[in-house]
Each structure stands twice: as C-alpha cells, then as structure tokens.
Amino acid sequence: MHDAMKKYCFLIICLFAATFVEAQHTYKYGPVGNNKSLFISNLMKKMTVEEKVGQLNLVLSGGDPDGNAKEQAGVIRDSKGGAVFNVAGAALARKYQKIAVEGTRLGIPLLFGFDCIHGMKTEFPIPLGEAASWDLKTIEKSTRIAACEASALGVNWVYSPMLDICRDARWGRIAEGAGEDPYLGAQVAKARVIGFQGKSLKDNNTVAVCIKHYIAYGAAEAGRDYNTTDMSERTLREIYLPPFKAAVEAGAETVMSSFNAYNGVASAANPFLLRKILKGELGLKGFVVSDYDAVRELIDHGLAKDSVEAARIAIEGGLDMDMVSNIFRDKLLPLVKRKVVSEKLIDDAVRRILSVKYDLGLFNDPYLYCDENREKTELMSPDKLQAARESAQRSIVLLKNSQQILPLSKSNKTIAVIGEVANSKSDMNGCWCCYSSGNNPVSILDGIKAAAPNSQILYEKGCKVDATAPEDYSAALDIANKSDVIIMTMGEYAWMSGEAQSRSDIGIPGNQLDLFKKLEALGKPIIVLLTNGRPLAIPYLAEHATAIVETWFLGTEAGNAIADVLFGDYNPSGKLPVSFPYSVGQLPLYYNQLPTGRPHSENLSDPFRSMYKDVSNDALYPFGFGLSYTTFQYSNLRVTNPKMKANDKLEVKVDVKNTGNRVGEEVVQLYIRDLYASVSQPMKSLKKFEKLSILPGQTKTVTFYLSREDLKFYKESVGWITEPGKFYIFVGGNSRDLLKTEFDLL
Ligand code: NOJ
C-alpha cells in the first residue's frame, strides 16, 4: 500500500475507534459534563411520570435475569426499577445494567445495593469489635478494602455503615455498630464514609454508602428488635444523631430509615426526622431508602390503613425509595395522577436518586463497576488478608490478666484448647457476612497451632455453646488434666447477635459456665477467650478466670490475630466501646449518665439512694477499658489557660509514661463534665481521644484542644448552646480511672 494511503487508513481507523470510545463514554446522553444539576434537570424533562416513579423502586433480585429472575428483568425493562438489591458478581451486574441501559427508553443506569457490613469477601472484625480498636486509620482502611471488593463484584451502593448508638446489650444488632458513645460513634462513622466513598466516587473502586438505620433504632425499648422508641428530642440529638451528622458531613450519599417508630411515628414516614432534621438541618443531598418492606409495615405500625395510604405518608414524610415492598411502584402513580400526591415530591425524590447515580459516574460509564477482571484479581489478595489480621489484632481487648499469665511462651507447653467455637471457621466471620462463603477463615485452634508449633496443642469441644441438657465433659477434663494451661472459648455463636437476635439474658449461654467450673476445680490457669457480638454479663468469670480476652468475631484472620495476642507477637491495645454490665438488670447501661438528686452512696445506712440493692451501679468493665502487656502511668494533667473565653481554644496536656518493659499502644481519653447548667449534664462525656505507641520507659505528652463546639448541649426549643461556668476535665485510659482538673467557661 502507498504510504499516503496507509496514513489515510490509519487515520480512518483512529477516528472510528475514537468515535466508539466516545460513544461508550458519552453513553446515551451526549457528554455528561460537570454541571450535575443541569444534566439532571435536562434528563428529568425527558422523563414521564411513570419513569420517574419507576426510579423510586428498589427491586429485590440476586438471580439471573435470563433465568430465575426473569420477572425482575421485566420490571427493569418496563422502567419500573431504579436499583437492584442483592446482585453481587460483575458479570451478573453487567447483565442487569444492560437491560436498563439498552432495554429502556432513557437508559438510566441502575444502582446495585448490597449489605457490606464488615467486609465483602475478606471479612474484618464485626463493627463493634473494630470500634474497640479506637483506631480510625485501621477502620478507614478496612472499609476501603471492603469497597474495593464490593465494587469489583458489581456493587456500587452498600447498606453500610451501621451507625446506631446502643446502650442496651439485649439488642443483638449492637454487634453491627460502634457501641454506646456518640463521639466515638461519630469518629468511626466519618472514617467509614471516607473509606467506602474514597477520594472520588467516580473511581471504579469506590461505592456510595447508605448510612443506617436512621434513627434511634438502637434504643428499641427493652432491647427487643424492631420495638418502638420513645425519647426526648434532646437525647435524640445529643446521643443518637451525632454519628449520622458526622457521616452526612463527610459526604454520605444515602440513608436508610429504620424499622422502628420514634415517638409514635415510624422513621420511614416521619417528616420531623426525614424532612426537618435529615434533609433540612443536616442537608442530605442524596436520597433516603426504606428498610426492607418497611413501607408496607406502616400498616402494621398502625399509621396507614392500606398500602395506598402507606405510599402517601412515606413519600410525604420524606422517603425517596421503597425497598422491595413494591408499594411505591404500584400505588404512587395513581396518587400522583389524582393529584393526591404532588408531582413535586416525586421530582425531588428522583432528583436525589439521579444525583447519586451521577456522583458514582454511572452516566459516564454505566459499566464502571462491572469489571470481571477486577473480580478475578482483587478478592482476598494477600495485602487484604494482612490488613484483616492487623485490624483483628487491634480490635482485641484484654480484660483480665492475673499473674501476668499472658503472653504465653511458645514452647515447652501442653496447651488444652476447649470450646466449640475454638474449632469453628465460619463463626469467625461473625454476623452479617453476606458474601463470605468460601473465604476460609482461620479458626482459633488453627491460629494457635500455627503460632506455637513446638507446643503440644490438645483440643476438645467440651460442650456446645447453647445446649442446656447435661453433656459429657470427660474428654475435655482429660486433656485439661494433661495440660499446663487451658484456653477456653466461651460466649456466643456468631449468629446469636445481629438482626432479630435480642436476648433477655446476656449471661454465658448453655452449659459453658458449668464446664468452666469443672475445669476450674483442676486448679490450672484458665484463659478465657470471649466470642460474642454483644457485651456479656460475666461476673463469675471476672473473678475466677485467670485471664479474659475479648475476641468478638474477628473475621477472616481471626485465629492468627488471637494467637498473635496470646503469644505476645502483638501487645493488645483495644478498649471497650461499650460498658460490660454485671447483670442484665442494669440495662440500659452507659457511662455518660446524668446525675440524680439521690446519687449512689457507699453509705449503706442511707437506703434512699439511686442504686440497686443487689448489684453495683457501675459497669463490670467500663467503657474505654482495656489492658496491655505493659502499664501506663498518667500524670501532670494541666490546662494551659483555665479561664476560657467563648472563642478560645482550650489547651489540655497530660503526660503518659510506659512503665512496663514492652512497647505498647494506649488510647488516651478525654472526658468533660459541665457542672451546673439549666439542663443537667452527663457526669462524663468523651470529647477527644488519641491512640499512640509508647516505648518502655518513655513519657509522651499528649495535647488536646477543646473549642466551644465541644462544650455545647442541646436545650429543647432553644437549640445548641453553652452556658458559662465550671467544667471538669478528666483524662485517662478508661472512663473510670481518670485524672481530673478544671476550667471555667467565661
Ligand atoms: C434489614 C436490615 O435491617 C438492614 O440493615 C439491611 O440493610 C436490609 N435488611 C437489607 O438487607
């Protein structure tokens, strides 16, 4: 071919390729451009009201649109779905996306929603456990990894993080959140939103979050799941709202309303919660989806007489998308046509949904998250497993270590490992692991064996976790007799916490305590490894076990991380994100209690006090508590200028010395108390913390800054205010053992 001709052909090919690439990128809309609002307005002008209502429907699927999910495929083809729930797999997501993009008039891409609570394939510690790390970098990293894996599987929208504050361990869903404290909860919330949503949502390894469950779900009365919540607006705003506020400020794209009713009105149709606070005050730009079937449940709540009324009160209340009840899909359109429901409400909801799709980059490339190659290479890669191990190590809390029994030596010992969960892989994943099948977690037994190859490790189940009929312990007693030390797992199966797992008794289930007592009679040291998704009431163990290690459910690398702590390769640094009670009768229990007119007194001759006759007011293990293999000494707490003017920054310093002989990490916690105000203030409120590593013998000075924002409280019908007066500052390694100083707010 002539040279000029060759050049000509090359040019044609380039032009053709460029047009093709451009066509892919500009998709059906021409160039999408940077003006989101203009783009969405133009798109909405083309939409029929039927197509708009279709966007408000979350379709339940999971199956193959060419096979068992033909019906769902039809719904999408009819433009009656804006998002699909439970599809995970790049190829499967691509199939669905193709139907929406090529099979509908406007080709609006779908969202793919999935529950990704503490990892996708690589599981990290359950969220309550990971909150015990008080390590925001670690939490952000694990969430980033979850986003990478989820997005590699076609998921672009995760029903996570769960931000419910909980003060009542009877509620099984306490496992899914960050515990009892609004400040810690808010910091964790922010870290998780940043982790999931990354630097730009348009990157193919980021996903939109759906923060849940908005709101006060963790306060379900009597700890019974789905139960009603009745609380003051002050408590709502001061205790339950902060994690949601922090998450929205960090850019959270979407919110899931909770199942429960707040002061008599279910969250899915509550204009005060959704319209006034969430969309108004917090300024949520994205949309609110109901929880599963919750629009239909408005009938059961006694708020709507039928599904038509349920649709109306939900959309009026501020809900934008209906999760799987199909009530928006089937009932909204006639309501709009009859002008019972204003089309403006529909428009607002659609605009919010399209805004999230735009932010995710789906209008540029609807197949951004459907990359089969990423799915093949990204899941459970070695770096992710290493991160899971590190997160798990940092989440472990050492509750007791008498006679310095821990860490154990790796050699020359016979160790009896006893307990059903010790030999369970699947339990290590914890509750809410929806895509973990086949991820082969490291069991506690395997972790111990791998860490101590020169020790003789004997294993017996001993008893089942939850059996109450008499069991034969002889094999367990036999190996215990042959051993120098006993390691016993005690607590719950993974499934015993999570949704619909409320318990009225939070003691150690089944025969486990009975077996413990038989083992105790042998007189050998017993190290208890707690496996649990909630605080358990363990007064007997607290007194009689030689050591207690809180291991929650730590995910794929659980066994290795636990062994790292048992044998001293990692010095434990976790602190409880929730109070552990002596007894279920103390619940709800939380450290940041309000004072009473009859405070608890040690003087037993004065019975008219706010206290129990049979148990302490305090926690068995307080919020923020956790030991290390080294010790820390706090001293010299000082406030640089103890007269604070309204806009000052108060500088607080404290010296923390590592007084042991190992490197250790400590979580230095700062609490305040506002002594007198027009509304009683909590006896302590966490305001700052810092986790830092200190060498043996080294002293580090930690500096905190408090601003007026940190001192505000909510006064009903007034708002967020401070009042001048005296404040205490407490600093220490847990919420009970603290140094104290004070300052005046002028
Ligand atoms: C119900 C749960 O309350 C919620 O957390 C979850 O995201 C949805 N089901 C979807 O699985």
Side-chain angles (χ1 to χ4, degrees):
M1 208 189 293
H2 194 270
D3 263 358
M5 187 71 167
K6 272 188 195 159
K7 261 189 199 157
Y8 182 67
C9 282
F10 179 66
L11 211 69
I12 299 272
I13 291 169
C14 286
L15 263 175
F16 182 79
T19 323
F20 180 70
V21 170
E22 178 66 358
Q24 272 203 331
H25 281 282
T26 56
Y27 167 52
K28 285 204 170 177
Y29 297 97
V32 166
N34 293 330
N35 190 335
K36 173 162 91 171
S37 150
L38 182 69
F39 172 79
I40 293 175
S41 299
N42 286 338
L43 176 54
M44 284 178 62
K45 277 185 206 145
K46 294 183 200 146
M47 293 173 82
T48 62
V49 64
E50 285 81 358
E51 285 164 338
K52 287 178 184 169
V53 168
Q55 285 296 311
L56 316 190
N57 184 33
L58 172 59
V59 182
L60 176 61
S61 189
D64 185 343
D66 297 329
N68 59 347
K70 283 210 175 72
E71 194 188 322
Q72 288 90 334
V75 170
I76 294 160
R77 205 169 284 115
D78 291 345
S79 296
K80 288 187 173 168
V84 181
F85 172 30
N86 253 1
V87 166
L92 194 59
R94 180 180 286 278
K95 269 193 187 184
Y96 278 95
Q97 197 65 298
K98 199 161 179 234
I99 300 172
V101 169
E102 294 177 18
T104 67
R105 192 176 75 89
L106 292 171
I108 298 174
L110 295 165
L111 292 172
F112 292 96
F114 205 86
D115 284 293
C116 175
I117 310 303
H118 50 105
M120 195 68 186
K121 191 79 174 180
T122 308
E123 292 292 353
F124 290 84
I126 56 165
L128 185 67
E130 209 179 40
S133 73
W134 294 56
D135 185 329
L136 302 173
K137 289 243 155 15
T138 293
I139 291 171
E140 185 183 321
K141 187 168 176 185
S142 75
T143 316
R144 181 89 288 284
I145 289 172
C148 287
E149 292 193 341
S151 58
L153 285 159
V155 172
N156 51 30
W157 179 36
V158 289
Y159 303 140
S160 191
M162 193 277 215
L163 305 182
D164 293 307
I165 296 297
C166 181
R167 297 165 150 190
D168 190 333
R170 289 172 295 183
W171 194 54
R173 303 201 79 170
I174 194 171
E176 300 170 49
E180 74 184 40
D181 184 68
Y183 179 75
L184 177 61
Q187 304 311 305
V188 172
K190 191 171 148 198
R192 291 206 187 278
V193 172
I194 293 171
F196 275 128
Q197 298 196 163
K199 288 202 177 65
S200 164
L201 262 185
K202 290 187 174 59
D203 293 342
N204 69 353
N205 63 3
T206 55
V207 291
V209 296
C210 184
I211 55 176
K212 64 186 191 182
H213 309 81
Y214 183 80
I215 191 174
Y217 184 33
E221 230 169 58
R224 211 178 70 219
D225 206 1
Y226 317 118
N227 201 8
T228 202
T229 297
D230 207 294
M231 70 169 60
S232 69
E233 188 179 336
R234 175 191 180 198
T235 302
L236 178 82
R237 288 180 181 274
E238 287 189 352
I239 307 296
Y240 292 87
L241 194 61
F244 289 91
K245 181 168 182 282
V248 173
E249 281 169 6
E253 287 276 321
T254 77
V255 178
M256 186 185 296
S257 62
S258 53
F259 281 125
N260 61 301
Y262 167 74
N263 293 356
V265 183
S267 306
N270 190 319
F272 170 70
L273 296 177
L274 301 182
R275 292 210 179 275
K276 183 169 188 293
I277 298 186
L278 184 60
K279 292 179 174 176
E281 296 172 26
L282 303 191
L284 177 77
K285 297 274 181 302
F287 68 88
V288 185
V289 63
S290 74
D291 204 339
Y292 199 98
D293 204 28
V295 176
R296 196 204 50 73
E297 289 175 15
L298 294 172
I299 303 170
D300 299 322
H301 273 287
L303 293 166
K305 71 171 186 299
D306 55 22
S307 50
V308 176
E309 205 166 277
R312 181 182 63 73
I313 63 170
I315 193 89
E316 284 177 358
L319 193 77
D320 303 304
M321 187 182 275
D322 168 6
M323 187 188 287
V324 315
S325 85
N326 295 332
I327 288 179
F328 273 13
R329 185 190 75 186
D330 298 337
K331 307 295 179 192
L332 267 185
L333 195 59
L335 287 172
V336 178
K337 293 212 159 147
R338 279 172 29 227
K339 302 214 180 314
V340 176
V341 165
S342 150
E343 196 173 336
K344 280 206 180 113
L345 291 183
I346 309 290
D347 281 353
D348 178 56
V350 174
R351 180 173 285 280
R352 288 168 178 278
I353 292 165
L354 296 179
S355 153
V356 174
K357 294 183 177 183
Y358 179 99
D359 289 348
L360 278 164
L362 293 174
F363 288 110
N364 286 312
D365 180 0
Y367 301 106
L368 184 64
Y369 303 93
C370 306
D371 182 344
E372 289 89 335
N373 238 352
R374 280 191 59 216
E375 177 173 340
K376 278 190 209 119
T377 53
E378 291 230 359
L379 306 188
M380 297 190 76
S381 53
D383 54 320
K384 295 189 175 69
L385 294 178
Q386 180 57 28
R389 184 167 181 162
E390 285 167 15
S391 163
Q393 290 170 338
R394 302 175 83 70
S395 303
I396 292 169
V397 186
L398 181 63
L399 294 177
K400 182 177 181 189
N401 191 17
S402 54
Q403 305 154 30
Q404 306 291 300
I405 180 91
L406 291 175
L408 295 173
S409 144
K410 281 189 187 171
S411 49
N412 306 323
K413 278 221 186 285
T414 302
I415 301 174
V417 178
I418 296 172
E420 191 183 7
V421 173
N423 196 23
S424 163
K425 284 176 174 286
S426 59
D427 278 288
M428 295 300 100
N429 277 329
C431 59
W432 277 111
C433 42
C434 304
Y435 197 81
S436 62
S437 157
N439 73 350
N440 194 26
V442 182
S443 73
I444 295 174
L445 182 60
D446 287 347
I448 291 173
K449 281 184 178 163
N454 298 328
S455 300
Q456 195 188 9
I457 314 288
L458 307 172
Y459 172 75
E460 282 297 333
K461 177 171 83 179
C463 66
K464 281 177 69 64
V465 163
D466 57 351
T468 45
E471 288 174 275
D472 178 6
Y473 307 140
S474 54
L477 292 169
D478 189 41
I479 62 159
N481 255 320
K482 293 185 188 134
S483 301
D484 304 297
V485 60
I486 302 162
I487 297 177
M488 182 177 181
T489 59
M490 298 183 80
E492 302 179 319
Y493 293 121
W495 60 262
M496 291 174 84
S497 53
E499 188 174 351
Q501 294 301 332
S502 296
R503 287 176 58 200
S504 70
D505 178 357
I506 57 164
I508 299 280
N511 292 330
Q512 296 176 87
L513 209 51
D514 187 41
L515 171 58
F516 175 90
K517 288 176 184 170
K518 302 273 181 325
L519 292 167
E520 189 190 354
L522 303 179
K524 307 210 171 176
I526 309 182
I527 296 157
V528 170
L529 305 181
L530 289 179
T531 62
N532 45 325
R534 54 156 59 84
L536 296 173
I538 50 165
Y540 188 88
L541 293 182
E543 216 169 300
H544 296 265
T546 320
I548 305 176
V549 185
E550 173 55 80
T551 74
W552 318 104
F553 295 103
L554 292 170
T556 314
E557 286 290 314
N560 286 335
I562 291 167
D564 290 338
V565 164
L566 289 175
F567 296 102
D569 291 326
Y570 181 78
N571 185 358
S573 65
K575 302 272 186 174
L576 294 177
V578 66
S579 310
F580 272 45
Y582 285 91
S583 144
V584 71
Q586 292 176 292
L587 301 179
L589 180 69
Y590 44 95
Y591 81 91
N592 44 356
Q593 303 211 345
L594 294 175
T596 67
R598 298 272 177 108
H600 160 253
S601 159
E602 299 303 332
N603 177 3
L604 290 179
S605 64
D606 176 5
F608 298 101
R609 296 275 143 192
S610 177
M611 57 194 283
Y612 297 104
K613 292 292 167 204
D614 54 349
V615 72
S616 155
N617 278 15
D618 296 335
L620 171 59
Y621 294 110
F623 174 80
F625 178 82
L627 302 170
S628 160
Y629 294 152
T630 188
T631 43
F632 299 101
Q633 191 184 63
Y634 286 72
S635 64
N636 206 10
L637 174 62
R638 63 245 189 226
V639 175
T640 308
N641 178 5
K643 303 278 175 212
M644 182 184 184
K645 289 197 215 90
N647 294 323
D648 284 356
K649 279 227 168 305
L650 193 82
E651 190 180 68
V652 184
K653 287 179 183 284
V654 70
D655 298 337
V656 187
K657 181 171 185 191
N658 180 341
T659 45
N661 49 17
R662 276 176 180 262
V663 183
E665 287 161 288
E666 172 71 328
V667 181
V668 181
Q669 304 159 40
L670 182 149
Y671 300 81
I672 65 160
R673 177 174 179 190
D674 181 351
L675 261 71
Y676 303 102
S678 54
V679 190
S680 292
Q681 295 301 309
M683 312 278 279
K684 281 165 201 161
S685 303
L686 181 72
K687 291 294 166 184
K688 303 281 168 195
F689 64 85
E690 189 175 325
K691 185 165 187 169
L692 70 164
S693 175
I694 311 181
L695 298 170
Q698 189 188 19
T699 299
K700 281 194 176 169
T701 300
V702 180
T703 307
F704 294 109
Y705 292 96
L706 290 171
S707 74
R708 187 158 167 255
E709 273 311 297
D710 300 312
L711 311 180
K712 283 185 173 166
F713 61 89
Y714 188 79
K715 187 166 175 180
E716 284 186 30
S717 57
V718 176
W720 287 95
I721 55 168
T722 53
E723 290 172 357
K726 192 169 285 307
F727 286 73
Y728 286 155
I729 293 182
F730 306 96
V731 177
N734 65 68
S735 64
R736 183 183 294 163
D737 307 307
L738 297 155
L739 300 181
K740 186 173 105 182
T741 184
E742 58 186 54
F743 70 94
D744 289 303
L745 178 67
L746 301 179

